[in-house]
Amino acid sequence: MAKHGDSGLGYEIVKGVMEGEIAEPITFDKVKRYCKIKGIQASENHMRVILSNASKNTHSPTYKKYFERVGKGEYVVLPEYRNQIRYYWLNVDATRYDWAFSAIKIGKSQTYSNFNSDGNKRKNPRCFNEIQVGDLVVAYETGEVRAITTLCKVVDKYEEDDEIFVEFQKISDYENVLELDILRDSKQLEDCQAVHFHRGTLFELEKVHYEIIVQMLEEINATIDSEEELYYAVKQAMRDDKRKARLESRNSSYPDTYEVTTKAFKRDPYVIAEVLIRAKGICERCGKEAPFKRASDGSPYLEVHHKKFLADGGEDTVHNAIAVCPNCHRELHFG
């Protein structure tokens, strides 16, 4: 290896941080230890000045600006050299604490370290080394429930006497939690290691798995206001004698979208109305009557399901939709 690493000492330090081998804030002692482990032949004087010089870029044009000073002798890597947001699964044993993420308010934080309450290092130390401020996390709680209860964001990370502390801030609240059995039954998560084996505290998630989990949370927590607003529009569509003509004259059979925590689809009330009229109060999957009547108007309660999901490119059409009872609807999504 070159005297100061393959691409210069500053770059080697950045690489060490990104690979989880140097925990931020970066200090001289950490750089010295890293150079010894990696066999980087830099002088102690060079190690001492590299962080300062590579945070100012004023001493010499040979120093590239890699770092930002955050305290006396403490530095962090500049954002442009960081990896993109990463995603994690955090295990929370609510029986061992006097709090739970599901019980605290949005914006409140809890801090975990890479040591447990017995003073022993937790499993998966790489995750504690690599997780960074801004990374996103699903919080899985055990105790009264075994479920993902909320989403978190890493808002701080620091090290004291070789102990790494990570602060997780609650960024969402869900009335309905996502239980482990549902996660394990999901075909989309069958290759997600954290779902099927999560002994330890912190695990990295693939972005696609994080997004699937968020989507599942959103689906089981559809807001009443949005559903009622849509249902009122559906009732108006049912009374419209020109309903079929309006369906045929639409400019597009694909739905508009609007942004919530994840992407949602603005569904056409005329499609829902036509499907519910066609069903006549009978589930089009199991053939049974609607399980109950709506309190607002006494109509049979059925839900309209798209045979090819809208998220998968399905059309918002009568042909692509069926009216089903709530039990069949859940089974179609999670069975």
Side-chain angles (χ1 to χ4, degrees), residues 53-73:
N53 288 358
S55 65
K56 297 176 183 176
N57 197 21
T58 56
H59 292 72
S60 166
T62 60
Y63 284 104
K64 188 171 183 177
K65 190 171 182 179
Y66 286 116
F67 312 109
E68 177 184 1
R69 185 175 182 271
V70 294
K72 186 176 181 180

Side-chain angles (χ1 to χ4, degrees), residues 262-280:
T262 59
K263 188 170 71 173
F265 294 97
K266 189 173 182 179
R267 297 168 60 188
D268 192 328
Y270 285 90
V271 171
I272 299 174
E274 191 66 18
V275 172
L276 291 177
I277 289 172
R278 181 185 69 196
K280 299 179 180 178

Side-chain angles (χ1 to χ4, degrees), residues 238-297:
M238 285 179 165
R239 295 192 294 265
D240 192 337
D241 295 335
K242 298 180 180 179
R243 183 175 59 256
K244 290 186 178 181
R246 294 184 190 280
L247 285 172
E248 293 173 357
S249 64
R250 291 188 303 172
N251 292 327
S252 173
S253 58
Y254 293 94
D256 293 332
T257 63
Y258 61 95
E259 293 297 323
V260 286
T261 303
T262 59
K263 188 170 71 173
F265 294 97
K266 189 173 182 179
R267 297 168 60 188
D268 192 328
Y270 285 90
V271 171
I272 299 174
E274 191 66 18
V275 172
L276 291 177
I277 289 172
R278 181 185 69 196
K280 299 179 180 178
I282 303 297
C283 175
E284 294 183 302
R285 185 170 187 270
C286 68
K288 297 180 180 179
E289 291 186 2
F292 58 89
K293 307 288 187 182
R294 285 183 181 268
S296 59
D297 60 5

